[in-house]
């Protein structure tokens, strides 16, 4: 019960619809005790998901669980995260405490400096993407990976119900939107991380969700690595590289990675990210918006300035200030 209360507090701090939270909180004690009793008596089953599309910026199909189930999934996440996170490699940056996109970009810059001898010679970057990753996660393989570190039969039964609560195709797929899906994805691709770090001995390897890069000064070595990665993914995880999102290119041409385009010694914000940023700011930075949203535009300005501060984007910074002053 204490775990569910802690999960509820964490859930409230996350992104959720206000009305749903209020309805659940109106009889919070009854709802939590009911959930606890259902779990204790093995009578809990997941509610149906609500599906909707978002532009993120590309279209994505999100499957949202009920508030009750999201509280449970948060509790499960809190129990599993410390067990599995310590087994992950350092350079896995998605959905982990103290990581994130900026940390991944800064780590890449560190790798590029080291691999190039402080940019005294050229380096190449292998960049790959897994095709329809969340839709293709095999339930059986995922459950085997969970079972390897968890020996509690009740928890494993609960995890099986969560995994089976969604299928894109028979016994495959995880819902975009569940906090557990983020952790399950890292557990699943930790197999790839260990293969590249321990078996292939790739020193300069970074992964963010299903996007990953390898840095080397040898073009032929990276090119030869592609079929080995492909064979491992297919045989071990039943996954496939996206055929149109595999590239080996010199850093001097720029690397589009985690929202930035990195070059030797500097980086800029991705062009479409800047365009989206300016479109949002133009809509919001009006006198009425400033009055109606209780300072939200100013907070957005500060947020975008923080994003730009990590890149060579002085002109974009000044343009934002001009838009805000209009």
């Amino acid at each position: 019960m204490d775990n569910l209360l802690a999960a509820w507090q964490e859930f409230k701090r996350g992104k959720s619809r206000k009305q749903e939270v209020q309805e659940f909180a109106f009889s919070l004690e009854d709802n939590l005790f009911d959930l606890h009793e259902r779990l204790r008596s093995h009578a809990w089953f997941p509610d149906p998901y609500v599906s909707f599309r978002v532009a993120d910026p590309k279209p994505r199909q999100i499957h949202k669980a009920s508030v009750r189930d999201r509280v449970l999934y948060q509790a499960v996440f809190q129990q599993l995260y410390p067990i599995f996170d310590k087994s992950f490699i350092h350079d896995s940056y998605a959905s982990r405490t103290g990581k994130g996109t900026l940390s991944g970009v800064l780590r890449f810059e560190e790798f590029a400096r080291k691999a190039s001898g402080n940019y005294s010679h050229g380096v190449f970057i292998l960049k790959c993407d897994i095709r329809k990753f969340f839709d293709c996660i095999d339930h059986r393989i995922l459950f085997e990976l969970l079972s390897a570190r968890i020996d509690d039969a009740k928890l494993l039964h609960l995890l099986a119900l969560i995994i089976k609560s969604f299928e894109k195709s028979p016994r495959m797929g995880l819902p975009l939107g569940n906090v557990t899906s983020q952790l399950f994805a890292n557990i699943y691709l930790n197999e790839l991380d260990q293969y590249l770090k321990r078996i292939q001995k790739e020193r300069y390897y970074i992964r963010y969700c299903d996007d990953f890069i390898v840095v080397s000064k040898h073009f032929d070595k990276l090119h030869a690595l592609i079929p080995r990665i492909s064979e491992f993914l297919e045989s071990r995880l039943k996954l496939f590289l996206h055929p149109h999102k595999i590239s080996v290119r010199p850093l001097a041409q720029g690397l589009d990675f985690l929202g930035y385009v990195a070059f030797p010694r500097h980086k800029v914000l991705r062009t479409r990210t800047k365009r989206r940023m300016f479109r949002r700011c133009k809509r919001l930075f009006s006198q009425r918006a400033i009055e109606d949203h209780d300072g939200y535009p100013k907070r957005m300005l500060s947020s975008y300035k923080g994003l730009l501060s990590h890149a060579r984007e002085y002109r974009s910074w000044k343009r934002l200030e001009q838009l805000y002053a209009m």
Side-chain angles (χ1 to χ4, degrees):
M1 187 63 187
D2 291 341
N3 289 338
L4 292 177
L5 284 169
W8 166 250
Q9 294 299 325
E10 183 65 28
F11 172 72
K12 285 199 300 181
R13 288 193 287 269
K15 295 180 180 178
S16 56
R17 292 187 177 180
K18 185 176 181 180
Q19 183 178 353
E20 292 179 297
V21 174
Q22 289 175 338
E23 289 173 355
F24 190 88
F26 183 74
S27 53
L28 175 61
E29 185 175 353
D30 291 340
N31 281 322
L32 289 180
F33 272 108
D34 176 68
L35 178 56
H36 181 265
E37 179 57 30
R38 287 174 182 267
L39 292 169
R40 190 191 64 80
S41 60
H42 302 288
W44 175 83
F45 291 94
D47 293 330
Y49 290 94
V50 175
S51 176
F52 59 95
R53 295 181 70 82
V54 299
D56 186 40
K58 63 182 180 181
R60 295 179 185 274
Q61 193 76 22
I62 304 297
H63 292 83
K64 185 183 68 173
S66 66
V67 174
R68 180 201 70 169
D69 288 352
R70 278 181 278 167
V71 172
L72 172 60
Y73 297 159
Q74 185 64 238
V76 171
F77 177 86
Q78 291 179 13
Q79 291 297 306
L80 294 184
Y81 182 84
I83 296 173
F84 285 94
D85 187 70
K86 60 187 177 183
S87 69
F88 298 156
I89 66 169
H90 177 82
D91 292 308
S92 166
Y93 285 90
S95 306
R96 297 180 66 193
T97 302
K99 302 289 185 175
T101 55
L102 179 59
S103 296
V105 171
L106 294 177
R107 183 65 161 171
F108 164 72
E109 290 182 317
E110 178 186 342
F111 282 174
R113 285 194 301 271
K114 289 181 178 179
S116 65
N118 200 26
Y119 305 115
S120 62
H121 55 77
V123 292
F124 298 89
I125 300 99
L126 167 64
K127 183 181 179 184
C128 299
D129 181 281
I130 297 173
R131 186 175 63 188
K132 296 182 179 179
F133 170 56
F134 277 90
D135 291 347
C136 295
I137 290 178
D138 186 282
H139 290 181
R140 179 188 60 81
I141 296 174
L142 174 59
F143 190 75
E144 287 178 356
L145 295 174
L146 291 168
S147 302
R149 286 187 169 268
I150 299 171
D151 55 11
D152 186 305
K154 292 181 179 179
L155 179 55
L156 286 173
H157 174 74
L158 178 60
L159 292 174
L161 290 176
I162 295 173
I163 293 170
K164 294 175 183 177
S165 68
F166 178 86
E167 289 184 331
K168 189 67 176 181
S169 56
R171 295 178 295 281
M172 294 182 70
L174 292 178
L176 283 172
N178 274 7
V179 66
T180 50
S181 295
Q182 300 167 7
L183 179 59
F184 290 163
N186 274 337
I187 293 169
Y188 206 80
L189 283 184
N190 185 52
E191 298 298 295
L192 173 64
D193 299 342
Q194 299 298 333
Y195 170 75
L196 284 170
K197 294 292 286 186
R198 314 304 175 198
I199 307 301
Q200 294 299 324
K201 306 294 184 182
E202 292 299 334
R203 183 179 178 185
Y204 303 128
Y205 163 75
I206 297 173
R207 181 178 62 80
Y208 187 94
C209 196
D210 60 334
D211 293 326
F212 59 93
I213 61 171
V214 182
V215 183
S216 173
K217 60 183 178 180
H218 302 294
F219 176 89
D220 292 341
K221 174 187 175 184
L222 293 179
H223 200 270
L225 188 60
I226 297 171
R228 294 199 289 269
I229 294 173
S230 182
E231 194 279 331
F232 175 83
L233 286 171
E234 185 173 351
S235 63
R236 177 69 181 95
L237 300 174
K238 296 185 179 180
L239 297 173
F240 299 89
L241 293 176
H242 196 301
H244 304 303
K245 295 183 179 180
I246 304 172
S247 64
V248 181
R249 59 188 299 161
L251 176 59
Q253 292 182 2
L255 173 71
D256 188 338
F257 186 54
L258 302 183
Y260 293 90
V261 180
F263 297 91
R265 296 187 173 87
H266 80 281
K267 59 182 177 291
V268 296
L269 203 61
R270 181 185 290 160
T271 300
R272 66 174 179 265
T273 302
K274 284 191 286 187
R275 288 174 179 168
R276 189 167 66 251
M277 173 182 70
F278 288 130
R279 282 198 303 268
R280 291 188 66 190
C281 290
K282 284 179 180 179
R283 289 197 302 266
L284 192 60
F285 292 174
S286 66
Q287 188 60 37
R288 170 173 287 186
I290 292 173
E291 292 173 355
D292 290 349
H293 291 81
D294 191 26
Y296 176 65
K298 189 172 184 178
R299 294 197 298 274
M300 177 181 280
L301 177 68
S302 298
S303 176
Y304 279 134
K305 279 187 172 182
L307 183 68
L308 294 170
S309 69
H310 299 286
R312 187 178 291 179
E313 291 288 356
Y314 176 76
R315 290 182 179 179
S316 297
W317 180 301
K318 298 303 293 184
R319 185 180 173 190
L320 277 184
E321 290 186 327
Q322 290 169 0
L323 288 172
Y324 185 74
M326 290 175 60

